[in-house]
Amino acid sequence: MVKISSREIIDVVKFNSKKIIIAEKAALLDGGSQTGYYVLDLETGDKEVVTKSAYLMKKFGNSAYKKIGESISDFSDCEAAILPSKNVFIIFSNGQCAMYGKDGETLWTKTLTYNEKPVTGLAADGEYIWCCCKDENCVIRYLADSNKLNLDLRVGAIDADTFRSPCFVSSDDEGIYVCCSNKLRKISRSDFVVSDVSDALSGLKRFYRFGKYTLVCTIDGAYIGE
């Protein structure tokens, strides 16, 4: 794998079939930090700085990004999915979430929990979304509509070894990828069977698959591989 960054990756958004937008946090001399955005060409490895507006447009959609970007100041710290209805669902690491209409109007907000424990993460799956509950060792699929989220399926349990402290989920055409404290696992889309992808990723924080390419984010940076 090739290291592409030594900074903290806080968000990744698909730009097109060959490129992604990466939001990374850089430390400042005064002790603060700032977020930078760039497009990464998965085939060549080339990087190009991109504007915040371009990032927001890809994350929230052409019609909704202005209103959503104005309504939340920490838009890089949330996960987002544009649903088939063009509504936009977002969720933060503390379980706070919201549904926005196709033009960016707020439809509802709430704190998402399972057994009173915060639910986080977001993997898009058509009209469904997948999230994880670290404290309950499970991954949950919800059916999302304009009015609410409906719990549709749960994989794993607090007393099972299926997932250990799942902290991040992502998706591609094959399945749902789950970053756990001890390994990376995948839920098959076809039959929901859970299998290991890797158990040798130390400090794993995020994992994405884009076609034949993988993006792995750990505590010491980000890596691209095939």
Side-chain angles (χ1 to χ4, degrees):
M1 302 191 81
V2 178
K3 191 170 188 177
I4 60 167
S5 177
S6 297
R7 296 173 175 172
E8 179 185 1
I9 305 302
I10 59 175
D11 198 15
V12 177
V13 177
K14 186 175 180 179
F15 185 78
N16 59 33
S17 61
K18 298 180 181 179
K19 297 179 180 180
I20 57 176
I21 298 179
I22 293 179
E24 64 178 14
K25 188 172 291 187
L28 300 176
L29 294 176
D30 61 4
S33 64
Q34 68 178 17
T35 301
Y37 309 95
Y38 63 86
V39 172
L40 173 70
D41 188 311
L42 295 168
E43 294 184 343
T44 66
D46 293 339
K47 296 181 180 180
E48 181 181 350
V49 174
V50 71
T51 65
K52 181 178 70 175
S53 293
Y55 159 74
L56 291 174
M57 189 180 300
K58 288 296 182 180
K59 182 167 185 172
F60 300 130
N62 293 351
S63 300
Y65 82 95
K66 287 185 178 180
K67 280 190 176 180
I68 297 177
E70 292 170 355
S71 66
I72 53 175
S73 59
D74 46 355
F75 44 76
S76 295
D77 293 326
C78 69
E79 304 292 330
I82 302 174
L83 304 173
S85 63
K86 303 304 181 183
N87 289 344
V88 182
F89 177 76
I90 71 165
I91 187 167
F92 291 90
S93 59
N94 61 1
Q96 292 184 351
C97 62
M99 184 74 78
Y100 295 91
K102 63 180 182 179
D103 294 320
E105 69 277 17
T106 302
L107 300 180
W108 53 260
T109 62
K110 65 176 295 183
T111 298
L112 192 59
T113 62
Y114 179 73
N115 287 343
E116 300 182 351
K117 303 294 176 47
V119 171
T120 62
L122 177 56
D125 183 13
E127 61 186 352
Y128 297 97
I129 57 172
W130 292 81
C131 304
C132 57
C133 186
K134 183 176 182 180
D135 295 328
E136 291 287 319
N137 288 338
C138 67
V139 176
I140 303 169
R141 188 174 78 166
Y142 296 92
L143 177 62
D145 62 33
S146 300
N147 299 314
K148 60 181 179 179
L149 296 180
N150 299 293
L151 195 155
D152 176 71
L153 177 71
R154 188 202 71 203
V155 183
I158 192 169
D159 55 354
D161 291 329
T162 312
F163 306 111
R164 293 185 184 177
S165 301
C167 63
F168 185 81
V169 291
S170 63
S171 61
D172 70 357
D173 292 338
E174 294 184 1
I176 309 302
Y177 299 91
V178 186
C179 296
C180 303
S181 62
N182 60 333
K183 63 180 65 177
L184 174 67
R185 310 210 76 189
K186 181 176 81 170
I187 304 172
S188 169
R189 283 187 183 276
S190 60
D191 55 15
F192 306 115
V193 170
V194 180
S195 60
D196 290 342
V197 178
S198 175
D199 58 2
L201 297 174
S202 177
L204 179 64
K205 298 183 70 175
R206 293 169 174 260
F207 175 89
Y208 303 87
R209 187 180 293 278
F210 302 99
K212 67 177 182 178
Y213 297 99
T214 59
L215 174 64
V216 179
C217 303
T218 69
I219 57 175
D220 70 342
Y223 302 80
I224 285 286
E226 293 187 24

